[in-house]
Amino acid sequence: MAFRPLLTRKTLACAAGLGSNGGIATSFRGLQTFTLPDLPYDYGALQPAISGEIMQLHHQKHHQAYVTNYNKALEQLHDAISKGDAPAVVKLQSAIKFNGGGHVNHSIFWKNLAPIQEGGGEPPKGSLGWAIDNDFGSLDALVQKMNAEGAALQGSGWVWLSVDKELKKLVVETTSNQDPLVTKGPSLVPLIGIDVWEHAYYLQYKNVRPDYLKNIWKVINWKYASEVYEKECP
Amino acid sequence: MALRTIASRKTLAALGSGLRAQARLATAAAGAYSRGLVTFSLPDLPYDYGALEPAISAEIMQLHHQKHHQTYVTNYNKAVEQLVDAMAKGDAPAVAKLQSAIKFNGGGHINHSLFWQNLTPIHEGGGEPPKGLLGWAIDTDFGSLEALVQKMNAEGAALQGSGWVWLGLDKDFKKLVVETTANQDPLVTKGANLVPLIGIDVWEHAYYLQYKNVKPDYLKNIWKVINWKYASELYEKECP
């Protein structure tokens, strides 16, 4: 399936003049809202690593809810900013981070996965493969580390392989809930994110998160991760 | 099924030298630490796994009890042993490092132990509204039972990530409160005077097999099996 664009432009009327609390309200720009990206493969294409039922719920229900609620929060934020309502602006940050993070994280996640017949699970070659050996010793060592951290994560969250674009080093990190990787460091660029929220695996793997982690590597899209890596470390 | 006691006593041998323990830190003089250690075991449910259907499926109850709660018990016991060991050695970094596992697994055991008692089959009174003092306090503090339920459902639905929604009693102010906690944090982490009366698990494992992503449906239905009798007992103990 072709990607639909992630963004649609929606322009609101400009406002000018002074805000109610004396702050200067300049004319501000329109608001970009977001749409659910299509998956680049069918819901059943990642079986048996991840079931078709999970993929469909995860995409059509969970990710869609993040998109919907992110757009809603953005509109409310836009409104609060235009009114100079600072308490409302601050209050909205939680919804912005959670739903915006959910949209950002899941958009990456769908690209991190690929059917086996399209290269899912094929180990990384080129400069990313070399960097993994350099920074972790081997691909197996990296996988063990990510699986251990993913299994140990308390509650909901993500486990990440990232590149620190300043230090040009690979890093394994975890984030809670829908916090994007950048909340752990502004120089961190996500290469691979693995969702360890229970909704990502429970219907298939029940409480046995380690089995999910063991199996997901069969459909990890290392080609995409390499592209992202080579963009930061050419 | 009768409740097995939650704790069994396991006493380890006292440190050989008796009163003196070696301290790793230059500045600290560690006191003696005799190795009396209480370990915990999974409490039995007071009803069958299928007894809360259709509100909560038997499949969920069995996994939730035998896998999730058991894991918290196992890992809590492990963490406490490591903690006692680290304390005996005066290993402060290790003690600090273990707090996360203690809170998470100990909290998980505490929270789930209460949860099983917060639920009861319909034919044993599940869902029957509270009478007496607790019923009156709910009307006073929330307006009505419906209002309380709406409030808890809204907060439970809005909770980001994993956690619990609580009806608690502030035992100092003698007031009922609705609170949420993240992950396995017990209610007391939100206030030392807070006594949990009812906790509702909103981790995805508590409902996903049956309700999928529709957490609000789970919250709507769980009230049919809430054990208000038990909550009233807890309330009347604090507010006689």
Side-chain angles (χ1 to χ4, degrees):
Chain A
M1 293 180 204
F3 264 107
R4 252 191 281 134
L6 277 167
L7 309 175
T8 56
R9 193 164 294 276
K10 182 164 99 176
T11 310
L12 306 177
C14 289
L18 291 175
S20 56
N21 61 354
I24 296 182
T26 51
S27 64
F28 52 89
R29 297 142 64 217
L31 177 68
Q32 281 185 348
T33 57
F34 296 84
T35 54
L36 183 68
D38 283 337
L39 298 193
Y41 37 77
D42 290 335
Y43 288 128
L46 303 181
Q47 293 190 131
I50 308 178
S51 72
E53 187 187 20
I54 286 180
M55 289 306 292
Q56 180 163 357
L57 280 165
H58 205 170
H59 181 247
Q60 286 184 0
K61 303 291 180 184
H62 292 273
H63 189 175
Q64 178 65 71
Y66 290 124
V67 171
T68 302
N69 292 334
Y70 184 42
N71 287 335
K72 206 184 311 183
L74 282 173
E75 287 228 43
Q76 293 174 325
L77 180 63
H78 196 85
D79 199 60
I81 290 173
S82 72
K83 293 182 174 135
D85 185 350
V89 169
V90 171
K91 195 173 168 191
L92 280 161
Q93 293 314 299
S94 169
I96 293 279
K97 181 166 98 158
F98 184 64
N99 293 293
H103 173 51
V104 165
N105 293 339
H106 286 87
S107 300
I108 295 170
F109 189 48
W110 309 135
K111 293 193 251 190
N112 286 154
L113 305 169
I116 290 172
Q117 83 254 12
E118 289 179 34
E122 254 176 54
K125 306 168 186 53
S127 52
L128 177 55
W130 186 87
I132 287 172
D133 290 344
N134 218 47
D135 292 341
F136 298 100
S138 67
L139 179 59
D140 288 322
L142 168 63
V143 168
Q144 289 325 306
K145 186 174 170 67
M146 287 185 73
N147 287 354
E149 300 218 10
L153 192 146
Q154 296 179 356
S156 307
W158 292 74
V159 58
W160 303 94
L161 172 66
S162 63
V163 60
D164 184 319
K165 61 183 177 183
E166 312 273 316
L167 302 175
K168 305 293 189 216
K169 274 233 164 277
L170 295 174
V171 198
V172 170
E173 261 297 350
T174 59
T175 56
S176 301
N177 295 345
Q178 292 300 347
D179 295 355
L181 178 62
V182 72
T183 58
K184 282 289 175 96
S187 357
L188 297 179
V189 177
L191 303 178
I192 290 172
I194 298 177
D195 190 346
V196 291
W197 281 63
E198 287 173 330
H199 66 241
Y201 61 88
Y202 207 87
L203 291 177
Q204 185 176 356
Y205 293 96
K206 309 295 191 303
N207 59 299
V208 195
R209 194 195 291 177
D211 280 0
Y212 159 69
L213 289 167
K214 207 167 58 146
N215 280 289
I216 199 171
W217 294 101
K218 299 174 183 168
V219 289
I220 288 291
N221 185 355
W222 284 108
K223 265 187 290 189
Y224 174 72
S226 292
E227 284 168 17
V228 179
Y229 178 79
E230 285 167 21
K231 207 163 62 156
E232 300 295 334
C233 304
Chain B
M1 292 181 205
L3 271 170
R4 253 192 281 132
T5 50
I6 296 178
S8 62
R9 193 163 293 279
K10 179 168 102 182
T11 308
L12 305 177
L15 284 174
S17 59
L19 288 176
R20 198 96 84 126
Q22 288 172 338
R24 288 223 183 115
L25 300 175
T27 48
Y33 223 85
S34 69
R35 296 242 203 164
L37 180 66
V38 173
T39 56
F40 295 85
S41 55
L42 183 68
D44 284 335
L45 298 193
Y47 38 77
D48 291 336
Y49 289 130
L52 303 182
E53 290 188 322
I56 307 178
S57 73
E59 186 186 21
I60 285 179
M61 289 304 294
Q62 181 162 357
L63 279 165
H64 205 171
H65 181 245
Q66 285 183 1
K67 302 293 181 184
H68 291 273
H69 189 174
Q70 178 64 73
T71 300
Y72 290 124
V73 171
T74 302
N75 291 339
Y76 182 47
N77 286 334
K78 205 184 310 183
V80 170
E81 281 227 50
Q82 294 173 326
L83 180 63
V84 168
D85 199 61
M87 287 163 84
K89 293 177 176 144
D91 186 349
V95 168
K97 195 173 169 194
L98 281 161
Q99 293 314 302
S100 170
I102 294 280
K103 181 166 98 155
F104 184 64
N105 293 293
H109 173 50
I110 290 167
N111 294 340
H112 286 88
S113 299
L114 176 63
F115 189 49
W116 309 134
Q117 309 215 60
N118 285 153
L119 305 170
T120 195
I122 290 172
H123 58 90
E124 287 179 35
E128 254 176 56
K131 305 169 186 53
L133 293 174
L134 178 56
W136 186 85
I138 287 172
D139 290 343
T140 297
D141 292 339
F142 297 100
S144 65
L145 179 60
E146 284 79 60
L148 169 63
V149 168
Q150 289 325 308
K151 184 173 170 70
M152 287 184 73
N153 287 353
E155 299 219 10
L159 192 147
Q160 296 179 356
S162 306
W164 292 73
V165 58
W166 303 94
L167 172 65
L169 166 68
D170 184 320
K171 59 184 176 181
D172 287 357
F173 293 125
K174 307 291 191 222
K175 275 238 164 272
L176 295 173
V177 290
V178 170
E179 262 296 350
T180 57
T181 56
N183 296 343
Q184 293 300 347
D185 295 356
L187 178 61
V188 72
T189 58
K190 282 289 177 98
N193 337 319
L194 297 180
V195 176
L197 304 178
I198 291 174
I200 298 178
D201 191 346
V202 291
W203 281 61
E204 285 172 331
H205 66 241
Y207 61 88
Y208 206 88
L209 291 176
Q210 185 177 355
Y211 293 96
K212 310 297 193 298
N213 58 298
V214 195
K215 196 197 304 183
D217 280 358
Y218 159 70
L219 289 168
K220 208 167 56 145
N221 280 289
I222 198 172
W223 295 101
K224 300 174 184 169
V225 289
I226 288 290
N227 185 356
W228 283 108
K229 266 189 289 190
Y230 180 72
S232 291
E233 286 169 25
L234 290 178
Y235 179 81
E236 286 170 18
K237 205 161 62 153
E238 300 293 337
C239 303

